[in-house]
Amino acid sequence: MCEFSINELYTRISDVKYIYQKHNILFFTEFRTFRNLQSTEFCFLAFCFNCNGLNNFVLRYTLFCFIISLFVFNNSFAQEKLTSFVNPIIGTDGQGYTFPGATVPFGMVQLSPDNGQITGSPSGYLYNNTEIAGFSHMHLSGTNISDWLDISVMPLLNPLKNPDTIFKAASFSHQNEQASPGYYAVKLDNGIQVELTATERVGYHRYTFPAQADPSIRFDLGFHKDPDIPTETFIKRINDSTLVGYRYSKGWASKQRVYFAAKTSEPVKEFYLKTEINIELGDVNIGLESDEEGEGVISQLIFDHTEAPKTIELKVALSMTSMDKALLALNEIPEWNFNAIKEQADLKWERELEKVKITSNDLQLKHIFYTALYHTALAPALYSDADGEYKNALNETHRMANGEMRYTAFQLEDAYSALNPLFTITQPIRYTAMLNSLLAFYDENGSLPVWDLSTAEIDTSGVYPAIPVLSDAILKDWPGIDAQKAYEAMREIAFQGRDPLKHTLQYAYYDWCVAAVAKKLGRLSDYAILSERALAYKKGNAWQNSFFVPHDIRGLESLYEKGTLETKLDSLFSRSPIEMQGKDFYYTPYIYNYLGKPWKTQNQVRQLFNSMYQDAPNGYLHGLSSAQTNAWAIWNTIGFYPVNPVGGDFMIGSPLVDAATLQLKGGALLEIEVLNNSVANKYVQSVKLNGLIYKKSYFSYDDLLHGGKIIFQMGPEVNLEWGSDESWLPANISQTVNTNSAKDAARKDIFSSISEFFNNLFK
């Protein structure tokens, strides 16, 4: 029996392909087509090659690999790819505000259809609108304010030659629409077939025009959706198939600059440019600029009349630095091979989704889970060029150190509580650059970001969610970041003036986060002050406070008479889920764990999941398909959740899957097995961790860091014994913060500093 894994087989086949190419031997040009072949087709193609010049060893080795494939591919490829479970249409209706278009994980380009300037969705696309005005290259997902939608492109059957002709959006039917990770396709009612795919910085279009068309491609740099408006736009022809330009705008972000370079697969017959007047360029290489606010340059690329259906391809590369850098970015796709780029994008998503594999017979759950995982990898988005260079909102050019990339679109207030802890598992390499992007923002702007969009701060709420993000990374010893710089950036915020009547609970939590880092770094005087301030939430009336005390829930319980916090929670969850709003809503079910009633947590997370998510365009109950919404779905599907997102305690809930496997740093695997799982069997009966009985109602980060195996035993009745003992609960910081010892630590820190000062003075 063959014991080769699929990855090993891919490696062996790739080795053989290299040998073929070395000997100039005909072979497959796209190996990933294996995934789409039946076994008989695969075998037929495998032996249809020219063996001239191939030595016997290579032939035997090749045949060996292909014979293995008879045993492996037939079963493995019968299993659907994880990308097949992603439905990018989920969240495109209602207030989900997602986009269905083509992108790769954390890519700069999000190439997607836009209904028009009056569409009801900030993402540019609303499912119940069946018109498309263009396909722009930058989109936000799950936000409630519009921005980006830069560099809009639209294929036309015929050019708009009359200056008085009004451009009209094209209608389409959802029956002729297809969306999957890295690919979007739609056949417009006018007969034009549109296909889109992407690399990190390049959007790749394939347009198939019907017979009797005068194919045209329209660039509209004035396209926008309020509050975003263009402030300056420019297009210039380079040659008969290449143009460059830029779009400056202001909106949610005060200043945005997007540069582009576009190349067509065949020469353009005529170039039309339009601002206040129309100009036919002919062979003259000129540019046209518009600096009228709210307006923008429009260009039409006109091709030869076609008697038969004709395909024209277009590449559009982006840069936030310059047009020259956009031209360089075109090299991400050096050839004209749409299918190959589409398959590469699919493979990138497959590798991303493989980081958390689940087993379930519930197809709807798989769609919800993998679409949520897909949505968590849309932002933050790449902002820098391939060499790490970028131009920020202040018009300063910078380059990230150590070959890292700069990222933007950090929705930190929404992301820190669930998404960033998830990134510490799913993004072991990329996460360092994301964290350093936050510190780069600090270097450039003098403060940590709240909502970084195009490297501009767009939030003035007075909260500082970068603090828990950086604190968590430092406490987990995340590699590649400057812990001292991060601490100083957080400390500045912690000790600046604040309004005592606003954000009391958030500030108490931030103080706890900075205190934890201060203690780790030996800044004991800071620790003494901040750890006491972290208990400031106790100054309010318990019944007036929200539940947002993730660092000290057991201390929160002490503010209530015995049993009344549980009663308040029961009252909350007796209401309809749609009535329960607020950012702390997602972790409130887990408060029952801290009260020694984990079965109530298990019941509520199941009910909430089932009521909040659907495999449908209007698939998000609470509106936004936000980072928090999607990350919450992922954590609760596998059975635990980071109630306190800093430090790494994961409270146990009620897993929805039969099994899951998480890829961890260094190649370790965390396996989760859920026995006797069903809709009715939602209560945890027992837990084992690496073969040992586990009675705590939470896992620590150290429990999970190096992998292992968790086994949940589920049942239809509550187990009043499991997880109920107080000794099995997380520590109560109200008891661990001792005022006297904190002051002693502060004195020790002060005397140590004085001693160090004099030692340095008399060296």
Side-chain angles (χ1 to χ4, degrees):
M1 180 176 179
C2 173
E3 296 183 355
F4 287 103
S5 69
I6 288 294
N7 288 336
E8 289 173 327
L9 186 58
Y10 282 154
T11 300
R12 293 184 183 336
I13 292 176
S14 297
D15 290 343
V16 174
K17 180 181 178 183
Y18 169 76
I19 296 172
Y20 285 162
Q21 291 172 337
K22 181 177 179 181
H23 290 273
N24 297 317
I25 298 164
L26 178 64
F27 197 59
F28 303 128
T29 58
E30 296 177 31
F31 261 87
R32 289 201 62 257
T33 55
F34 293 158
R35 288 175 178 252
N36 301 319
L37 297 177
Q38 301 294 324
S39 58
T40 53
E41 295 173 318
F42 177 83
C43 293
F44 174 76
L45 289 176
F47 290 98
C48 290
F49 56 84
N50 179 3
C51 291
N52 292 334
L54 182 67
N55 62 45
N56 290 335
F57 168 76
V58 175
L59 179 58
R60 288 197 304 270
Y61 189 50
T62 305
L63 295 178
F64 172 70
C65 290
F66 289 145
I67 290 171
I68 290 174
S69 73
L70 296 177
F71 295 95
V72 178
F73 278 82
N74 194 40
N75 292 327
S76 298
F77 289 152
Q79 300 176 7
E80 292 182 278
K81 295 184 297 179
L82 300 182
T83 52
S84 70
F85 297 119
V86 175
N87 179 8
I89 298 297
I90 291 178
T92 58
D93 205 4
Q95 294 181 324
Y97 300 157
T98 62
F99 62 85
T103 187
V104 295
F106 307 101
M108 178 183 292
V109 167
Q110 307 88 25
L111 179 53
S112 190
D114 301 311
N115 302 132
Q117 294 181 197
I118 59 173
T119 180
S121 173
S123 72
Y125 177 97
L126 191 64
Y127 188 79
N128 65 13
N129 187 324
T130 54
E131 289 187 334
I132 293 176
F135 303 90
S136 61
H137 288 74
M138 296 180 69
H139 291 81
L140 297 174
S141 179
T143 63
N144 59 6
I145 298 180
S146 291
D147 213 315
W148 288 2
L149 306 181
D150 293 277
I151 321 302
S152 178
V153 179
M154 185 68 178
L156 305 175
L157 281 179
N158 301 286
L160 305 177
K161 294 188 176 182
N162 189 325
D164 298 324
T165 302
I166 298 175
F167 168 76
K168 294 183 179 179
S171 60
F172 75 101
S173 167
H174 291 299
Q175 294 180 340
N176 297 322
E177 182 180 41
Q178 179 185 351
S180 61
Y183 179 69
Y184 175 85
V186 62
K187 186 171 185 180
L188 304 175
D189 290 345
N190 61 18
I192 299 176
Q193 175 72 37
V194 177
E195 295 176 271
L196 310 174
T197 189
T199 60
E200 280 71 15
R201 297 172 183 82
V202 183
Y204 197 160
H205 308 236
R206 180 162 68 183
Y207 303 138
T208 302
F209 295 89
Q212 303 302 320
D214 291 321
S216 304
I217 299 176
R218 182 176 187 265
F219 280 72
D220 184 358
L221 302 190
F223 179 82
H224 67 282
K225 180 169 170 47
D226 291 339
D228 175 72
I229 56 173
T231 57
E232 183 179 334
T233 59
F234 174 80
I235 288 181
K236 179 182 179 180
R237 172 189 176 185
I238 300 298
N239 56 43
D240 63 2
S241 61
T242 308
L243 66 154
V244 296
Y246 60 76
R247 181 180 186 269
Y248 297 169
S249 62
K250 66 179 182 179
W252 205 5
S254 59
K255 192 70 173 180
Q256 300 168 65
R257 301 175 183 85
V258 179
Y259 303 88
F260 73 94
K263 191 172 185 65
T264 58
S265 59
E266 64 174 71
V268 177
K269 178 183 177 182
E270 296 177 279
F271 285 78
Y272 283 13
L273 288 178
K274 175 183 177 182
T275 52
E276 293 78 17
I277 59 173
N278 290 329
I279 302 176
E280 183 177 332
L281 292 182
D283 294 326
V284 181
N285 293 334
I286 69 170
L288 194 60
E289 180 180 7
S290 170
D291 57 6
E292 184 177 348
E293 192 167 289
E295 300 295 330
V297 177
I298 296 174
S299 173
Q300 293 183 71
L301 315 183
I302 304 167
F303 300 86
D304 287 326
H305 176 81
T306 177
E307 296 292 334
K310 183 176 185 178
T311 297
I312 297 176
E313 296 182 348
L314 170 72
K315 305 171 191 174
V316 179
L318 302 185
S319 169
M320 306 302 150
T321 309
S322 67
M323 291 184 288
D324 287 341
K325 282 299 196 69
L327 282 167
L328 285 174
L330 280 172
N331 294 326
E332 281 191 359
I333 307 179
E335 299 177 353
W336 295 102
N337 191 333
F338 184 92
N339 289 339
I341 301 304
K342 172 191 169 185
E343 291 183 356
Q344 286 178 19
D346 180 82
L347 181 59
K348 290 173 184 176
W349 279 113
E350 187 73 11
R351 295 294 175 260
E352 192 65 39
L353 300 174
E354 284 176 347
K355 294 175 181 178
V356 187
K357 292 183 178 180
I358 64 170
T359 301
S360 174
N361 292 324
D362 186 340
L363 184 59
Q364 176 172 300
L365 175 62
K366 284 186 173 182
H367 285 169
I368 292 170
F369 177 85
Y370 282 111
T371 302
L373 190 57
Y374 166 82
H375 281 144
T376 66
L378 297 179
L382 270 175
Y383 188 80
S384 59
D385 300 320
D387 61 0
E389 190 175 57
Y390 61 93
K391 185 182 293 182
N392 67 12
L394 301 174
N395 205 28
E396 302 167 341
T397 300
H398 296 276
R399 180 171 298 183
M400 295 293 285
N402 304 317
E404 288 184 348
M405 297 297 107
R406 176 70 186 268
Y407 289 85
T408 190
F410 287 94
Q411 306 174 41
L412 294 178
E413 175 63 7
D414 189 56
Y416 78 87
S417 57
L419 181 65
N420 287 90
L422 182 67
F423 281 171
T424 66
I425 292 176
T426 62
Q427 305 303 327
I429 298 175
R430 193 180 274 116
Y431 195 46
T432 299
M434 293 178 182
L435 295 169
N436 283 328
S437 293
L438 301 181
L439 294 178
F441 186 99
Y442 168 73
D443 288 337
E444 295 160 20
N445 296 276
S447 64
L448 290 170
V450 179
W451 216 123
D452 166 354
L453 184 63
S454 298
T455 72
E457 179 59 80
I458 62 173
D459 187 281
T460 57
S461 64
V463 296
Y464 297 96
I467 286 178
V469 172
L470 292 171
S471 296
D472 182 52
I474 295 170
L475 294 177
K476 290 176 178 175
D477 294 314
W478 197 266
I481 63 171
D482 187 336
Q484 294 294 340
K485 178 196 283 189
Y487 178 75
E488 291 301 330
M490 295 188 293
R491 187 183 187 280
E492 287 179 18
I493 295 171
F495 285 99
Q496 70 182 11
R498 60 177 66 169
D499 186 340
L501 301 179
K502 291 183 178 180
H503 311 300
T504 302
L505 298 182
Q506 286 95 329
Y507 284 132
Y509 181 57
Y510 300 155
D511 287 340
W512 177 85
C513 294
V514 183
V517 176
K519 185 177 181 180
K520 180 180 179 68
L521 299 181
R523 306 289 289 271
L524 300 183
S525 59
D526 287 354
Y527 167 71
I529 296 169
L530 294 169
S531 58
E532 287 190 54
R533 281 174 28 181
L535 302 179
Y537 73 89
K538 292 189 172 186
K539 296 176 184 179
N541 183 298
W543 286 91
Q544 294 173 342
N545 281 340
S546 81
F547 298 109
F548 186 76
V549 191
H551 59 295
D552 193 25
I553 292 176
R554 295 178 66 190
L556 175 68
E557 181 189 12
S558 69
L559 300 182
Y560 295 81
E561 294 182 6
K562 186 174 178 60
T564 54
L565 177 56
E566 182 181 352
T567 301
K568 188 176 181 181
L569 287 170
D570 292 343
S571 176
L572 172 68
F573 289 111
S574 67
R575 296 151 56 187
S576 166
I578 201 167
E579 298 179 67
M580 298 184 286
Q581 300 287 346
K583 296 184 183 302
D584 57 343
F585 159 72
Y586 293 96
Y587 91 98
T588 50
Y590 287 90
I591 295 178
Y592 287 118
N593 273 22
Y594 292 84
L595 306 181
K597 304 290 180 65
W599 56 89
K600 287 193 172 184
T601 291
Q602 296 152 26
N603 178 54
Q604 291 301 335
V605 294
R606 285 273 185 126
Q607 289 190 31
L608 288 173
F609 189 99
N610 293 333
S611 65
M612 288 169 57
Y613 303 95
Q614 298 178 35
D615 181 14
N618 191 3
Y620 294 99
L621 173 70
H622 275 167
L624 298 183
S625 167
S626 64
Q628 171 65 24
T629 303
N630 290 295
W632 194 91
I634 294 164
W635 286 117
N636 285 278
T637 298
I638 62 177
F640 42 90
Y641 182 74
V643 173
N644 180 357
V646 174
D649 284 346
F650 300 90
M651 303 306 294
I652 294 173
S654 178
L656 299 170
V657 294
D658 299 324
T661 302
L662 283 67
Q663 294 181 11
L664 307 179
K665 287 193 294 185
L669 297 178
L670 177 63
E671 297 180 63
I672 300 169
E673 185 177 1
V674 187
L675 304 177
N676 201 31
N677 185 40
S678 69
V679 173
N681 295 348
K682 59 185 176 182
Y683 295 107
V684 174
Q685 305 300 301
S686 64
V687 177
K688 286 186 177 180
L689 177 61
N690 296 327
L692 301 177
I693 294 175
Y694 192 85
K695 294 185 177 182
K696 295 179 181 179
S697 59
Y698 69 98
F699 300 115
S700 71
Y701 181 69
D702 290 338
D703 288 334
L704 310 180
L705 177 61
H706 303 294
K709 186 166 185 177
I710 300 169
I711 300 177
F712 292 97
Q713 179 72 46
M714 308 299 290
E717 304 293 336
V718 301
N719 181 348
L720 298 178
E721 299 298 324
W722 181 83
S724 59
D725 191 281
E726 185 174 340
S727 64
W728 302 333
L729 301 176
N732 181 351
I733 74 157
S734 297
Q735 295 174 346
T736 58
V737 174
N738 183 294
T739 303
N740 290 328
S741 62
K743 290 179 179 177
D744 290 341
R747 293 192 195 98
K748 180 179 178 182
D749 190 30
I750 292 170
F751 285 120
S752 296
S753 299
I754 294 172
S755 175
E756 183 179 356
F757 170 78
F758 282 108
N759 285 336
N760 292 331
L761 183 64
F762 294 110
K763 274 185 177 179

